[in-house]
Amino acid sequence: MHTQLNRRMTKQRHIIIEELRKVTSHPTADQLYEMVRKRLPRISLSTVYRNLETLSAEGMILRLDVAGAQKRFDATVENHYHIRCNHCGRVDDVHMEPINEIEEIARRRSKYQSVSHSIEFSGICPDCFGRG
Amino acid sequence: MHTQLNRRMTKQRHIIIEELRKVTSHPTADQLYEMVRKRLPRISLSTVYRNLETLSAEGMILRLDVAGAQKRFDATVENHYHIRCNHCGRVDDVHMEPINEIEEIARRRSKYQSVSHSIEFSGICPDCFGRG
DNA sequence: ATCAGTATTGCTAAGCGTTTGCAATTAGAT
DNA sequence: ATCTAATTGCAAACGCTTAGCAATACTGAT
């Protein structure tokens, strides 16, 4: 016996997932809304929000709580680091091994339990750097 | 010749700084507002917001852009890591050496310029763990 | 294939943290 | 003491996100 989710696959939900999987750009809810709207013009923004919420809650997609900015969403669930452009706000993946050892250090020093970590890099992206 | 700031030390600004220096708890704007209000009952919340903004812009204080949560403020400016309780939202310092080497790795892999990093730990704080 | 029941939708309005416009006040230089 | 721009308090606006609700449409059972 396990938790019954009773989820339905509506065309809205289906297309939201599909569109999110098409890109690697970590779109915000409203960016994804615009993408989905091309195929489903009558979808509402709250439907997009609600699905991103439920899908990330069940671990189907990843929600990036970017510091001091809009939430972003990612169809790639495996834990990885991100870098955010200080100029245009875009978020890219950084491919490197997760440094899990620091969690043990933090756990000892802080007395917290169940410690996890995330690293957010920031800088100037190639595009913004190019055009000064 | 250097940038002229033309800042004035109002009693509001003065007390905001003082109260922030009294604590190590990384208060949010409204928490600090309540603290300041005890000494300056007629201060407005926007004054607190405006001062926290200008003070952090000039580097007098540190603004913590906590992922997916309210901004928090810190009178300690030196770079250090934080840990956030997933249960009550409180934020504590984690005393450990900053791992600056990872910035070079991220710079090479991402092609971004002027890369900086921040690590946010999260977990369950001793208080929340104690009372289940 | 039809049905029933409830998860989900679209719409709108509300929520929350934060920022802004503006007239009144006040720090700080002369 | 006087001047002037920085700052304040208030209220209203803002941007992102969530919630209420009646209408719709999945899905599992018949």
Side-chain angles (χ1 to χ4, degrees):
Chain A
M1 141 185 181
H2 67 94
T3 310
Q4 175 60 274
L5 282 179
N6 277 65
R7 291 281 148 78
R8 292 177 184 175
M9 186 50 68
T10 61
K11 51 180 170 328
Q12 289 89 336
R13 181 165 300 159
H14 185 75
I15 292 182
I16 287 170
I17 298 173
E18 272 191 357
E19 290 299 314
L20 186 58
R21 288 196 174 140
K22 277 188 190 168
V23 296
T24 58
S25 59
H26 313 86
T28 59
D30 56 297
Q31 288 170 343
L32 194 54
Y33 170 60
E34 290 304 331
M35 293 159 61
V36 169
R37 222 138 81 99
K38 300 220 167 68
R39 297 174 59 188
L40 228 49
R42 298 197 44 80
I43 197 175
S44 88
L45 178 57
S46 26
T47 297
V48 175
Y49 269 107
R50 267 185 298 232
N51 275 292
L52 290 174
E53 171 57 29
T54 55
L55 290 170
S56 62
E58 23 176 294
M60 283 277 292
I61 65 173
L62 196 66
R63 181 180 59 220
L64 309 184
D65 288 340
V66 183
Q70 264 175 282
K71 291 179 174 57
R72 288 174 175 272
F73 298 88
D74 192 340
T76 305
V77 179
E78 296 83 55
N79 189 33
H80 57 289
Y81 299 139
H82 295 99
I83 186 162
R84 178 176 45 81
C85 177
N86 288 322
H87 194 255
C88 68
R90 98 181 212 206
V91 172
D92 286 295
D93 292 331
V94 176
H95 301 285
M96 61 187 281
E97 287 300 304
I99 317 173
N100 295 315
E101 314 85 72
I102 54 177
E103 293 182 357
E104 173 60 17
I105 303 177
R107 193 184 64 70
R108 279 200 304 269
R109 307 262 166 109
S110 70
K111 313 283 188 249
Y112 275 50
Q113 303 287 329
S114 312
V115 173
S116 64
H117 82 282
S118 79
I119 302 186
E120 188 184 297
F121 294 99
S122 60
I124 307 297
C125 77
D127 287 0
C128 287
F129 183 71
R131 54 193 61 144
Chain B
M1 144 184 178
H2 68 94
T3 310
Q4 174 61 274
L5 281 178
N6 278 65
R7 289 281 148 79
R8 293 176 183 176
M9 186 50 68
T10 62
K11 49 180 170 334
Q12 289 90 337
R13 181 165 300 161
H14 186 74
I15 292 182
I16 287 169
I17 298 173
E18 272 192 357
E19 290 298 314
L20 186 57
R21 288 196 174 140
K22 277 188 190 167
V23 296
T24 58
S25 60
H26 315 85
T28 59
D30 56 297
Q31 287 170 342
L32 194 55
Y33 170 60
E34 291 303 330
M35 295 159 60
V36 170
R37 222 140 81 97
K38 299 219 167 70
R39 296 174 59 188
L40 228 50
R42 297 196 43 80
I43 196 174
S44 87
L45 179 57
S46 27
T47 297
V48 175
Y49 269 106
R50 266 186 297 233
N51 275 291
L52 290 174
E53 171 57 29
T54 54
L55 290 170
S56 62
E58 18 175 299
M60 284 275 292
I61 65 173
L62 196 66
R63 182 180 59 220
L64 310 184
D65 288 339
V66 183
Q70 266 176 282
K71 291 179 174 58
R72 289 174 173 271
F73 297 87
D74 192 339
T76 305
V77 179
E78 297 84 55
N79 189 33
H80 57 288
Y81 299 139
H82 296 99
I83 186 162
R84 178 175 46 81
C85 178
N86 287 323
H87 193 255
C88 68
R90 98 181 211 206
V91 172
D92 287 294
D93 292 331
V94 176
H95 301 286
M96 60 187 281
E97 287 301 305
I99 317 172
N100 295 314
E101 313 86 70
I102 55 177
E103 293 182 358
E104 173 60 16
I105 303 176
R107 192 184 64 69
R108 279 201 304 268
R109 306 264 167 107
S110 71
K111 313 284 187 247
Y112 275 51
Q113 303 288 326
S114 314
V115 173
S116 63
H117 82 282
S118 79
I119 302 185
E120 188 184 296
F121 295 99
S122 60
I124 308 297
C125 77
D127 287 359
C128 287
F129 183 69
R131 58 192 59 147

